[in-house]
Amino acid sequence: MSHCDSSDRLLTLRQALATALKLIHPLCETETAPLATADGRVLAADVFARLDSPPHDNSAMDGFALYLADLSVHQPTRLPVIGQALAGHPYANPVPPGAAVRITTGGWTPTGPDAVIMQEQCQIAPDQGWIEIEPAVAAKLKLGENIRRRGEDVLAGTMLLSGGVRLRPQDVALAAGQGIAALEVIRRLRVAVASTGDELYEPGVELPPGAIYESNRHVLIGLLRRLGCAVTDLGILRDDRGIILAALREAAATHDVLLTSGGVSVGTADLVKDMVAELGTVDLWRLAIKPGKPVTFGRIGDCLTIGLPGNPVSVMVTFLMFARPLLLKRMGVEPVEPVRWRVSADFAFRRKPGRREWLRARLRFDPERGPLAGVYHTHSSGALSSLVWADGLVELPEECAGVAPGDPVDYLPFSGLGVDGDLMKADELDQELGIDALHG
Ligand code: AMP
Ligand code: MG
């Protein structure tokens, strides 16, 4: 089914994503990643706990393991210290009532004692032969206090990590804590990237009249690497049928995704869409979005082709809002909605309803008005500087007819879209933006 016949009816982003996602099958080839290389990879299948963690009751504090019942709440209690249980060096014998064992954090609690008292709460004999506990301290100590129970973190047999997650450092650490040395992950997505345009030249050369330096590949390749893709840089393709056709054909045979920028609108030199149609199918073209209306999605054999427009802002925005969920699905990750926060507009904006629109935005916190999103002084889709200034996007829904200062708007932080960066530019934002304020 093709969505590009009636050229004047634009698809909404939601329709376009639903259509494209239905056509995309997740990769299923897997490989084994030693833990040292597993960060950022997509876990192929659910992983279950092999062990109870912790594997044994142990102490949460440096102190003394003892029997609560030995402590008097009327007078000081003196207990002999009969041995020690250091982390990695358990005390081998049962401990009889009336005695204590010195224990360090992580040391296994010996058989018998039912509480650990912190060393700071005891008087300790100079030779460490005994400890004494004041009645007031004894009265407060509870059964099981400062003892971490076997399995209280993870129980053997329970699900540790679910297949389809992109592994984060803490996920890898959880596997390590189970003694798992390698994880089965989906192989890397192979993505080829090309820019098209006769006017484009690489930085470093002298520009002829009418030319500009190429910049889109730097955005796309960086974003793809952050997704963990294996990227092939096809460079700059001239606006020439033969060149584009050959490059697309060759790349499609050896890649999972072909990502191009430029050459997808209706100018005479906009050849990418026609060439994809010649080699495969164009499944959708022209979305009700701004910037980035001429975006295309198609397939050449098993290779997905995503044609982004040429304007630098359109490239980044359409990558994040359209290409990224498609890539994630192909990578074996279930796409999730981007993080969005309801905040107040710190700007006025007039527009015609009909397209979903993203404005380059910055978040700040005002003590009286709460979290505020400001927007860049120009909305031109050629202004790359706006993306450098911004730390996220304000999303205006299709039906929005304009924004007045103070109106609620959705702010999507770049960090929630996989673009690294210090969202909380001001330290105080972290504390002041309470969770309540953020989820309007
Ligand atoms: P196009 O979509 O090919 O019509 O390009 C739209 C605008 O984006 C034109 O002004 C192009 O010069 C510019 N443009 C296209 N590709 C790039 C690129 N790779 N780097 C920088 N600007 C580009
Ligand atoms: Mg062009």
Side-chain angles (χ1 to χ4, degrees):
M1 185 177 62
S2 171
H3 283 266
C4 38
D5 323 320
S6 57
S7 52
D8 276 320
R9 260 211 43 235
L10 305 180
L11 287 172
T12 64
L13 178 72
R14 188 179 293 276
Q15 290 168 329
L17 283 176
T19 303
L21 287 168
K22 249 186 245 143
L23 297 168
I24 296 173
H25 307 288
L27 290 180
C28 44
E29 296 110 289
T30 67
E31 57 197 37
T32 304
L35 288 197
T37 64
D39 183 27
R41 303 299 304 271
V42 180
L43 190 64
D46 298 346
V47 173
F48 293 87
R50 302 170 173 176
L51 315 168
D52 288 339
S53 177
H56 193 281
D57 292 358
N58 69 91
S59 179
M61 293 289 173
D62 291 336
F64 296 88
L66 47 71
Y67 287 84
L68 193 63
D70 284 339
L71 302 185
S72 167
V73 294
H74 305 297
Q75 71 236 15
T77 308
R78 183 175 287 204
L79 297 171
V81 177
I82 62 166
Q84 53 185 16
L86 308 182
H89 304 279
Y91 183 74
N93 304 312
V95 177
V101 161
R102 188 164 91 86
I103 195 161
T104 58
T105 305
W108 284 11
T109 46
T111 307
D114 51 23
V116 167
I117 188 159
M118 288 163 69
Q119 63 186 26
E120 296 86 334
Q121 296 186 323
C122 316
Q123 268 80 259
I124 304 170
D127 67 351
Q128 308 214 353
W130 50 259
I131 52 168
E132 210 168 82
I133 296 121
E134 292 300 319
V137 173
K140 280 201 202 123
L141 194 69
K142 293 190 200 74
L143 201 67
E145 190 150 335
N146 298 319
I147 296 177
R148 302 189 288 216
R149 294 296 174 192
R150 171 179 180 159
E152 74 174 26
D153 183 12
V154 176
L155 279 176
T158 56
M159 212 219 286
L160 204 56
L161 298 167
S162 53
V165 301
R166 288 185 65 212
L167 293 164
R168 303 165 300 171
Q170 64 267 43
D171 300 321
V172 178
L174 193 64
Q178 287 286 311
I180 297 168
L183 289 166
E184 207 54 20
V185 297
I186 310 282
R187 75 155 167 79
R188 285 191 193 280
L189 196 69
R190 292 190 282 260
V191 185
V193 176
S195 289
T196 68
D198 281 347
E199 76 281 27
L200 305 176
Y201 284 76
E202 293 286 7
V205 305
E206 187 105 6
L207 286 182
I212 58 168
Y213 291 117
E214 197 285 328
S215 57
N216 290 344
R217 271 151 59 236
H218 296 280
V219 167
L220 294 177
I221 292 172
L223 293 173
L224 288 165
R225 293 225 171 103
R226 278 167 174 72
L227 279 181
C229 301
V231 183
T232 307
D233 182 2
L234 302 180
I236 298 167
L237 307 178
R238 297 286 156 227
D239 287 322
D240 173 281
R241 298 178 69 86
I243 290 175
I244 293 177
L245 197 66
L248 297 190
R249 182 187 283 128
E250 198 179 317
T254 47
H255 291 84
D256 304 304
V257 181
L258 181 53
L259 197 58
T260 61
S261 72
V264 286
S265 51
V266 288
T268 46
D270 292 330
L271 297 166
V272 171
K273 185 169 58 69
D274 293 349
M275 298 300 99
V276 171
E278 204 163 314
L279 296 167
T281 57
V282 174
D283 296 297
L284 43 99
W285 176 47
R286 285 161 62 82
L287 309 190
I289 59 174
K290 190 177 179 186
K293 180 168 80 168
V295 110
T296 72
F297 170 81
R299 288 162 297 154
I300 302 174
D302 271 347
C303 180
L304 309 178
T305 64
I306 303 173
L308 307 181
N311 275 309
V313 174
S314 314
V315 164
M316 182 153 169
V317 170
T318 52
F319 179 91
L320 296 177
M321 307 315 303
F322 181 69
R324 189 169 182 271
L326 306 184
L327 292 164
L328 286 171
K329 169 123 192 227
R330 188 83 171 109
M331 287 166 62
V333 180
E334 269 314 307
V336 290
E337 281 285 314
V339 177
R340 63 184 62 231
W341 298 337
R342 185 66 48 85
V343 302
S344 302
D346 197 20
F347 60 92
F349 188 70
R350 295 178 55 180
R351 65 173 229 130
K352 206 166 75 196
R355 291 201 257 162
R356 192 179 298 199
E357 182 162 5
W358 296 277
L359 308 175
R360 279 74 77 199
R362 238 196 217 189
L363 192 66
R364 75 180 179 87
F365 185 82
D366 181 274
E368 262 104 62
R369 291 146 72 206
L372 298 176
V375 296
Y376 199 57
H377 61 81
T378 158
H379 300 294
S380 159
S381 55
L384 204 42
S385 56
S386 64
L387 289 169
V388 173
W389 173 87
D391 49 27
L393 301 170
V394 159
E395 182 175 273
L396 306 179
E398 287 80 355
E399 65 280 7
C400 170
V403 178
D407 281 356
V409 288
D410 278 2
Y411 166 85
L412 285 63
F414 280 150
S415 57
L417 292 161
V419 187
D420 292 347
D422 197 2
L423 166 70
M424 299 300 176
K425 283 194 172 128
D427 282 349
E428 67 270 19
L429 271 180
D430 222 356
Q431 302 134 30
E432 290 187 278
L433 290 177
I435 293 293
D436 286 339
L438 297 180
H439 296 275

